[in-house]
Amino acid sequence: MTSIRLAVPETAIAGEIIEVKALIRHPMESGHRRGSRGEVIERDIITRFECLYLGEQVFAADFHPGIAANPLLTFYVRASRSGDLEFTWTDQHGAIWSEASSLTVS
Amino acid sequence: MIRLAGLVSITLITACSATTEVSDVPELAAEDIVSASVFLNSETRALQEDTFANPGYLWVDRGEALFSQPPAAGPACITCHEKGLRGVAATYPAYDENIGQVLNLEGRINQCRVTQQSEPAWTFESDELLSITAYVANQSLGEPISVDVNGPARAVYEVGRDYFQTRRGQFNLSCQQCHTENWGKRLRGDTLSQGHGNGFPAYRLEWESLGSLHRRLRDCDTGVRAEPLPYGDPLYVALELYLAERSKGISIETPGIRR
């Protein structure tokens, strides 16, 4: 069970630079910590984030064990035409979480 | 003139002792009461106030979904509470006449779940209970805490006050000594807060997760090397009631961000 929060403006003027925020719930367990009995807590992290706008990649990030739990990303996109922004997170086991948001450009 | 002043002071003393309990235990002065968010650095406080980026809202979102999702047998929460529950969390813990007990918000939600929805109670600190508690408490965001400690809740309030004022653990410290008598001073790398529960369930940076007030109380008890009580223990509920009365006037910040 995960939760995703996206902050994308609903409308934009062509050529405008919009701020996009994406937050996902994930423990981002680094693999460097130990439990109360001294056992290593296994690494469990998201390794890749991608954002597609009109099917074209506009932002991507590789995650490593140093990223905090529940990672929040803020980035900027130049609005060109109306369409969807698709957000995808992939974890180290290949599990994928996606969410989309539509943008109307005038 | 001096004689008159003396007379006035005697009258005052008599008036005071007649209305208030005689106690040598210091209490927070009403004008000093501040939320723990005052002691956060500005970035952390800004994160708490950002209703998008505050990670506690990940749980609030889940709680909102659970609120309108009907369980197998009974009605969804929203069927009865269609107007939402604004202001309700600010009055909890509260005495429940039907079962003759003081319940905190988690206890009240579970009570509803068992009696109205015919579902088993959620375990304390489960993701579901945390989420829905955070959602209900978040509806009272900005509402001043105002609990009723008179009538049947009085005895429970006093049990909570005793817990707060009793020294415990290997460090032999009471809650009172840190949070009433020494708040604002440094304890290692952190500033001692006044111990208000107005941000809970809160996202603690140390936990990297949302957690209940009872989880926080367990951490405090562990911190003074005392045996922590189980989640949902009636003693913690009593303490929660005392804390809420002590926080009278400051507003709900759920989901708060705490260090």
Side-chain angles (χ1 to χ4, degrees), chain B residues 111-242:
Chain B
Q111 168 80 2
C112 229
R113 194 167 150 78
V114 172
T115 57
Q116 310 295 327
Q117 298 186 321
S118 316
E119 288 284 316
W122 278 313
T123 50
F124 223 94
E125 221 57 23
S126 65
D127 197 63
E128 290 85 358
L129 190 56
L130 270 180
S131 301
I132 205 149
T133 309
Y135 172 65
V136 172
N138 180 248
Q139 292 186 35
S140 298
L141 187 70
E143 295 277 331
I145 294 176
S146 152
V147 288
D148 184 7
V149 294
N150 295 309
R154 190 73 201 176
V156 176
Y157 166 80
E158 282 166 6
V159 168
R161 188 187 56 197
D162 286 350
Y163 192 91
F164 191 84
Q165 294 174 350
T166 306
R167 287 168 174 259
R168 57 174 36 81
Q170 288 180 322
F171 285 173
N172 199 27
L173 279 169
S174 69
C175 315
Q176 164 89 16
Q177 288 174 303
C178 284
H179 298 293
T180 301
E181 296 170 24
N182 287 295
W183 65 268
K185 295 182 188 165
R186 306 287 289 181
L187 179 67
R188 297 201 209 151
D190 210 349
T191 307
L192 282 169
S193 77
Q194 295 176 349
H196 299 299
N198 61 323
F200 284 82
Y203 189 92
R204 269 189 93 203
L205 301 179
E206 184 187 319
W207 296 334
E208 291 198 320
S209 161
L210 200 79
S212 67
L213 184 59
H214 287 202
R215 183 169 175 193
R216 184 67 191 88
L217 295 175
R218 282 169 58 86
D219 276 12
C220 253
D221 272 343
T222 309
V224 298
R225 299 189 185 171
E227 184 79 32
L229 300 175
Y231 285 109
D233 192 279
L235 255 181
Y236 273 166
V237 176
L239 179 58
E240 216 179 306
L241 180 65
Y242 172 73

Side-chain angles (χ1 to χ4, degrees), chain B residues 43-64:
Chain B
E43 290 89 349
T44 314
R45 202 160 50 243
L47 182 64
Q48 172 175 300
E49 284 157 13
D50 185 336
T51 53
F52 173 79
N54 178 339
Y57 279 95
L58 290 166
W59 280 261
V60 173
D61 284 352
R62 168 124 206 252
E64 187 176 6

Side-chain angles (χ1 to χ4, degrees), chain B residues 81-129:
Chain B
H81 308 290
E82 53 183 320
K83 287 182 183 152
L85 291 163
R86 174 138 192 95
V88 172
T91 65
Y92 271 78
Y95 181 77
D96 186 308
E97 283 179 4
N98 295 326
I99 57 163
Q101 266 184 35
V102 169
L103 292 176
N104 62 0
L105 199 54
E106 285 91 343
R108 186 68 190 83
I109 289 166
N110 263 339
Q111 168 80 2
C112 229
R113 194 167 150 78
V114 172
T115 57
Q116 310 295 327
Q117 298 186 321
S118 316
E119 288 284 316
W122 278 313
T123 50
F124 223 94
E125 221 57 23
S126 65
D127 197 63
E128 290 85 358
L129 190 56

Side-chain angles (χ1 to χ4, degrees), chain A residues 37-93:
Chain A
R37 293 191 178 85
E39 78 286 7
V40 173
I41 305 173
E42 270 191 50
R43 197 180 92 159
D44 177 17
I45 62 168
I46 289 171
T47 48
R48 180 78 175 164
F49 168 81
E50 288 181 1
C51 175
L52 305 184
Y53 174 36
L54 298 162
E56 188 190 336
Q57 189 182 95
V58 287
F59 184 88
D62 286 322
F63 286 14
H64 294 279
I67 305 281
N70 310 312
L72 165 69
L73 287 168
T74 305
F75 53 93
Y76 298 87
V77 176
R78 187 187 298 275
S80 54
R81 282 178 293 127
S82 296
D84 282 356
L85 279 103
E86 295 167 58
F87 302 80
T88 310
W89 290 261
T90 311
D91 81 355
Q92 63 184 62
H93 309 293

